[in-house]
Amino acid sequence: MPVEPIVIQTLDGQCPADVFTPEGAGPWPAVIFHGDAGGMRPAMRDMARKLAEGGYVVLLPDLYYRFGPYAPLVPAEVFQGDAGAILGPLIATTGTDKAARDTDALLAYLDTRSDVAGRQVGAVGFCMGAGLALAAAARHPARFAAVASFHGGRLATDAPASPHWLVPALKAEVYIASAENDDSYPPAMAQRFEAALAAAGVRHASEQYPAPHGWMVPDFPVHDAACAERGWQALLALLARTLRG
């Protein structure tokens, strides 16, 4: 599986990223991959590679590039200690507003690639990355045909930067895969987020998986292989429907 390490110049600095492409000559539709709060590490690259194997150019940016260099994190070790103290300084360097702004540069980069088919792209986000993916699609509604959220958290809060306030700008089809007993996305929040989608006329589907928060990520202690495979099939179906027609 070809992978190309690159650096993209954004308004806030230099963003390291990896680009994964299928075997062959292409062109293929593109997908921007928004990782979880654990940052760039082998598991995120493995997931981006798996998506590329489905027939997509996958752009995986380092969401924490504003923080500066950091060692790859191991979720099992992070959760055994003070996760907030470890992840908090990293998470503080990003957010929906910053991710939306970064999307300008990410799309400009994809537009330079001859192996990318068409101008419309997809976005997928995991945990923290789900809100960032939604913000990216709201920033450029004409460019995003699909957005998928897997165990996304804090999607509808009272905060000014809450993703649900951005929903009226969306033109993409949205898929929400939520976890059981997820304190970061409780039932009342799910109802609020889906009500915003419905009020805005956004085509969407929502499913709760019988698995805990983080089930899709292979290096999470709660990874659920069966539910993860179901999630991958749902993601590939969404992208095929919206980007391949």
Side-chain angles (χ1 to χ4, degrees):
M1 170 64 61
V3 55
E4 180 183 354
I6 62 168
V7 176
I8 296 176
Q9 182 67 48
T10 74
L11 290 177
D12 294 336
Q14 293 189 321
C15 176
D18 289 336
V19 183
F20 296 84
T21 54
E23 300 288 350
W28 308 275
V31 179
I32 300 177
F33 187 111
H34 298 79
D36 63 17
M40 291 287 273
R41 61 191 193 279
M44 292 295 100
R45 293 184 172 93
D46 289 345
M47 294 174 73
R49 184 177 295 108
K50 181 177 179 67
L51 181 53
E53 289 172 351
Y56 299 92
V57 174
V58 179
L59 176 58
L60 172 66
D62 185 349
L63 303 177
Y64 293 150
Y65 74 91
R66 295 175 182 84
F67 181 85
Y70 60 95
L73 300 176
V74 179
E77 297 176 358
V78 170
F79 298 138
Q80 287 178 351
D82 188 342
I86 296 170
L87 298 177
L90 291 162
I91 294 172
T93 66
T94 189
T96 53
D97 53 346
K98 294 175 181 176
R101 191 165 65 241
D102 288 346
T103 308
D104 300 353
L106 302 182
L107 289 173
Y109 168 75
L110 289 174
D111 287 344
T112 69
R113 294 187 64 97
S114 61
D115 57 357
V116 170
R119 285 182 55 78
Q120 286 203 306
V121 303
V124 59
F126 298 85
C127 304
M128 176 192 78
L132 307 186
L134 288 159
R139 171 88 166 195
H140 293 274
R143 296 295 306 271
F144 284 84
V147 183
S149 163
F150 287 93
H151 37 80
R154 300 187 61 78
L155 298 183
T157 71
D158 292 332
S162 173
H164 83 289
W165 300 122
L166 306 174
V167 161
L170 292 174
K171 300 298 182 186
E173 181 177 340
V174 176
Y175 176 71
I176 310 112
S178 61
E180 284 187 329
N181 304 315
D182 189 347
D183 290 340
S184 73
Y185 193 64
M189 185 182 295
Q191 292 172 8
R192 187 178 187 184
F193 184 62
E194 291 183 47
L197 291 169
V202 175
R203 183 179 180 187
H204 67 280
S206 176
E207 294 185 280
Q208 184 180 88
Y209 284 58
H213 180 93
W215 84 82
M216 286 289 292
V217 184
D219 66 352
F220 266 42
V222 298
H223 174 64
D224 185 309
C227 285
E229 182 56 30
R230 174 183 160 191
W232 281 111
Q233 293 305 315
L235 174 59
L236 291 173
L238 170 71
L239 296 176
R241 182 167 62 251
T242 56
L243 294 178
R244 298 183 183 278

